[in-house]
Amino acid sequence: MAETLHVAVRTLHVLGMVVLLGGAGTVWYVARRDGRGGGSDTASSLATGYEWAFWGALGVMVVTGVGNLGALGAPGPETRWGTILLVKLALVAVFVLGSLVRTVAIARIDAEEGRPGPASVPFYRRAYGATTAALLVLVVLAEVLAHG
Amino acid sequence: MAETLHVAVRTLHVLGMVVLLGGAGTVWYVARRDGRGGGSDTASSLATGYEWAFWGALGVMVVTGVGNLGALGAPGPETRWGTILLVKLALVAVFVLGSLVRTVAIARIDAEEGRPGPASVPFYRRAYGATTAALLVLVVLAEVLAHG
Amino acid sequence: MAEADRRLLVWTLASFHVAGLTVGFVLPAYASGGLSDVLPEFGTVLGFLGYAYLWVLSFLATRWVLTDEVLEATLVGAVRPVILRGSAGGGLVGLATLLGPLLLLTIQDLLSGPSNPAGIALILAIGSGIATVVGLAFGLVFTLLDLTAVRIAGRAVPDGAGTEQTKTEATVKSPADSESVGERR
Amino acid sequence: MAEADRRLLVWTLASFHVAGLTVGFVLPAYASGGLSDVLPEFGTVLGFLGYAYLWVLSFLATRWVLTDEVLEATLVGAVRPVILRGSAGGGLVGLATLLGPLLLLTIQDLLSGPSNPAGIALILAIGSGIATVVGLAFGLVFTLLDLTAVRIAGRAVPDGAGTEQTKTEATVKSPADSESVGERR
């Protein structure tokens, strides 16, 4: 039973990351592709959908992440493992704050322009490129913590 | 060194799944959303991009998956772990065959209709819904194998 | 702002408050070495329920804080309304965070008649006061964080989405806005 | 079919052939219990390189098999050209799979002059023959799998994308097709 719960928590943690990283990567890819063509409708409508999904998935990540930490009986902060975890937690904190800015900016773009013009494409590209990069670093840190 | 390699292999395996599942989920979500609205341009252009990414990521998944199996020194097929692995491998085989059909169908839709009409939306929805569902099952099996 | 965008903001800020609070607790708690002892005893399911409870409280409070008037006022640069309301919302969340679980734990005792009503009432009053003040403080901190994010986002978005411009555009464009947004979702 | 779609098909089929071959080997090998002993000795990096080598071979062969003519013929229902060419491509891949690593392993011996040229040539000839025949067989199997997938896909796609219709449409629409595809990518 505790086994099953633990596997479920881990699975949810991975699926949460799939939503966060897969979504950010997709929006980034579409914004890059559209930037060359001209239009930004696809990127914009995907971005708005992503922001909704993002905060749901982030909640799942936080709660399953902490749950994992508890179930593992994490080593202390003075160990090598603990240092990496501290780095990861700090990066998570920065990432969450940055994502708040990103979502608020997206909501502003949606509100101000009925249909976002091509002027917002560079912003999409930068914002989702940075989000993707930060999440990639977090995945690497998570793998190091899980198996390193 | 071997440690680092193993973590890199695991990370690639997770990132490959992010591409496969994140992408399939996104196309499915967009096809569902567009189906109500009418147009299918976004779903179609995303789907074509996804199929390119899919086969690259699948190769990464296969090679890192087998690499993992080797590095783990997998238990034999008669254990409970081995039975789950066999189920997973069989599902992977079916999934790969099904994905081949899906990609060929997408290539046909792209080739036949200059701009895919709304008639293809139900196909997108079914195809990517099934892909997403199969990948979800594979993730659960993978988590059970990794930590169960 | 169109209704759809307000809903996205409420959803985002409510989720951010709980996630930020959790990370903001776990980080120093782990760094100080105390978390490793406490966390395993907490229980996974209990943790999930607690998080969900906090999220619902945060959602209700954020929605209450972020009325159309407060949002409009904030976007044109007035910070007083949102800070006042945000702190008050935080206080309510703090109070509910204490009372909800407490009620759940003591419901049986309360129904069977408490042994010392006056003593319990006193302890409850003191506890509620502390919880409200702590909630107020957190509400203030998070409101300031939200405001900072709004400021930075305003600068990050292209074509200088200034505050005055926003006001007029939001007023003029409002119907077209909500139409196209609704169409896209 | 437009050029972009042919490229997607080549990329997809080449990747499928290697992935399918690998899964098709690992599944029975693991079920029989032999894999657990062999695999750990194989080495991760060597496995990656081998996979990449096979992929390149598969890509070259698939691109060689899937010329415009073969593809057109297949789409109107003629299976002979693709089966013949597919099997031949498989044979070439089999041969290259043997010779590539072999050359790499024996390059030093070859340069310093082999001790028994005639014996080596004989062994090489036999080995090449076996590798080619095995490759032919796999080429045939995978070509049949590909054809089955094309058939099923033809039925799954809406508005009955029949074979004759495809031919004419592909001819008539070709310029518009490649334009819009290029624009979308």
Side-chain angles (χ1 to χ4, degrees):
Chain A
M1 173 58 206
E3 249 344 56
T4 311
L5 182 66
H6 192 196
V7 169
V9 167
R10 290 240 184 199
T11 307
L12 276 176
H13 202 68
V14 170
L15 291 181
M17 183 47 91
V18 166
V19 172
L20 295 185
L21 184 47
T26 306
V27 179
W28 184 50
Y29 161 77
V30 170
R32 275 177 58 85
R33 196 183 57 177
D34 287 8
R36 271 175 262 143
S40 69
D41 274 13
T42 308
S44 153
S45 91
L46 274 181
T48 310
Y50 175 66
E51 296 304 335
W52 279 93
F54 178 91
W55 290 98
L58 186 79
V60 171
M61 291 304 278
V62 168
V63 80
T64 53
V66 176
N68 241 332
L69 213 55
L72 281 173
E78 68 285 343
T79 59
R80 177 174 162 277
W81 195 93
T83 311
I84 300 177
L85 179 63
L86 279 179
V87 170
K88 191 188 166 194
L89 285 173
L91 183 57
V92 167
V94 173
F95 175 71
V96 169
L97 289 172
S99 292
L100 180 64
V101 173
R102 189 195 62 232
T103 307
V104 171
I106 295 295
R108 286 206 139 193
I109 292 178
D110 283 357
E112 280 164 26
E113 322 173 20
R115 283 191 161 259
S120 50
V121 169
F123 173 74
Y124 285 128
R125 216 155 47 203
R126 262 184 291 125
Y128 291 100
T131 304
T132 307
L135 286 167
L136 281 175
V137 174
L138 283 173
V139 168
V140 171
L141 288 175
E143 283 298 318
V144 171
L145 288 175
H147 310 285
Chain B
M1 174 58 206
E3 254 336 62
T4 310
L5 183 66
H6 192 195
V7 168
V9 168
R10 291 239 184 201
T11 307
L12 275 176
H13 202 67
V14 170
L15 291 180
M17 183 48 92
V18 166
V19 172
L20 295 185
L21 184 47
T26 306
V27 179
W28 183 50
Y29 160 77
V30 170
R32 277 177 58 84
R33 196 183 60 178
D34 287 8
R36 271 175 263 143
S40 68
D41 273 14
T42 307
S44 152
S45 91
L46 274 181
T48 309
Y50 175 67
E51 295 304 336
W52 278 93
F54 178 90
W55 291 99
L58 186 78
V60 171
M61 292 304 278
V62 168
V63 80
T64 53
V66 176
N68 241 333
L69 212 55
L72 280 173
E78 68 286 345
T79 59
R80 177 174 161 276
W81 195 93
T83 311
I84 300 177
L85 179 63
L86 279 179
V87 170
K88 192 189 165 193
L89 285 174
L91 184 57
V92 167
V94 174
F95 174 72
V96 169
L97 288 173
S99 292
L100 179 64
V101 172
R102 189 195 63 233
T103 306
V104 172
I106 296 295
R108 285 206 141 193
I109 293 178
D110 283 357
E112 279 163 26
E113 322 172 20
R115 284 189 161 260
S120 50
V121 168
F123 173 75
Y124 286 128
R125 217 155 47 205
R126 263 183 292 125
Y128 291 98
T131 304
T132 307
L135 286 167
L136 281 174
V137 174
L138 284 173
V139 168
V140 171
L141 288 176
E143 283 298 316
V144 170
L145 288 175
H147 310 286
Chain C
M1 286 211 167
E3 181 58 25
D5 303 311
R6 201 178 69 88
R7 278 195 290 128
L8 175 58
L9 272 185
V10 170
W11 163 259
T12 296
L13 292 176
S15 306
F16 163 67
H17 296 155
V18 192
L21 193 70
T22 308
V23 174
F25 261 116
V26 167
L27 185 55
Y30 181 75
S32 72
L35 191 74
S36 303
D37 302 331
V38 177
L39 203 56
E41 296 180 15
F42 202 59
T44 309
V45 175
L46 198 62
F48 281 26
L49 290 178
Y51 196 91
Y53 180 64
L54 263 186
W55 191 90
V56 170
L57 292 182
S58 170
F59 182 76
L60 294 175
T62 307
R63 203 177 54 177
W64 175 76
V65 170
L66 222 65
T67 58
D68 277 332
E69 297 80 46
V70 171
L71 187 59
E72 290 287 312
T74 306
L75 288 176
V76 296
V79 294
R80 261 185 62 122
V82 73
I83 286 180
L84 285 177
R85 232 178 147 90
S87 306
L92 289 175
V93 169
L95 188 62
T97 305
L98 177 78
L99 291 187
L102 203 69
L103 207 72
L104 210 69
L105 288 173
T106 59
I107 186 85
Q108 214 156 22
D109 287 351
L110 286 177
L111 288 179
S112 64
S115 50
N116 183 356
I120 287 187
L122 185 67
I123 293 174
L124 205 64
I126 295 174
S128 299
I130 295 175
T132 308
V133 169
V134 171
L136 270 172
F138 277 110
L140 178 62
V141 168
F142 274 107
T143 306
L144 293 178
L145 277 177
D146 297 350
L147 277 174
T148 312
V150 170
R151 280 290 145 80
I152 299 175
R155 270 189 220 141
V157 170
D159 70 64
T163 43
E164 291 82 4
Q165 190 196 0
T166 307
K167 178 71 185 291
T168 49
E169 282 210 356
T171 320
V172 175
K173 273 199 175 175
S174 199
D177 236 354
S178 36
E179 241 178 68
S180 66
V181 168
E183 177 190 300
R184 264 183 292 135
R185 197 150 315 126
Chain D
M1 285 211 167
E3 180 56 26
D5 302 310
R6 199 178 72 88
R7 278 196 289 129
L8 175 58
L9 272 185
V10 170
W11 163 259
T12 297
L13 292 176
S15 307
F16 163 67
H17 296 155
V18 191
L21 193 70
T22 307
V23 174
F25 261 115
V26 167
L27 185 53
Y30 181 75
S32 71
L35 192 74
S36 302
D37 303 331
V38 177
L39 202 57
E41 297 180 15
F42 202 60
T44 309
V45 174
L46 198 62
F48 281 26
L49 289 178
Y51 195 91
Y53 181 62
L54 264 186
W55 191 90
V56 170
L57 291 183
S58 169
F59 181 75
L60 294 175
T62 307
R63 202 176 54 174
W64 176 76
V65 170
L66 223 64
T67 58
D68 276 333
E69 297 80 45
V70 172
L71 187 59
E72 290 288 312
T74 307
L75 289 176
V76 296
V79 294
R80 260 183 64 119
V82 73
I83 286 180
L84 286 177
R85 232 179 148 89
S87 306
L92 289 175
V93 169
L95 189 62
T97 306
L98 177 77
L99 292 187
L102 205 67
L103 207 70
L104 211 67
L105 288 174
T106 59
I107 186 85
Q108 216 155 22
D109 288 351
L110 286 178
L111 287 180
S112 63
S115 49
N116 182 357
I120 287 187
L122 184 70
I123 293 173
L124 205 66
I126 295 174
S128 299
I130 296 175
T132 308
V133 170
V134 171
L136 270 171
F138 277 109
L140 179 62
V141 168
F142 274 107
T143 305
L144 293 178
L145 277 177
D146 296 350
L147 277 174
T148 314
V150 170
R151 280 289 145 77
I152 300 176
R155 272 192 217 137
V157 170
D159 71 65
T163 44
E164 291 82 6
Q165 191 196 359
T166 307
K167 176 70 184 292
T168 50
E169 282 211 356
T171 319
V172 175
K173 273 197 175 177
S174 198
D177 236 351
S178 38
E179 239 178 68
S180 66
V181 168
E183 177 190 300
R184 264 183 290 133
R185 193 133 336 109

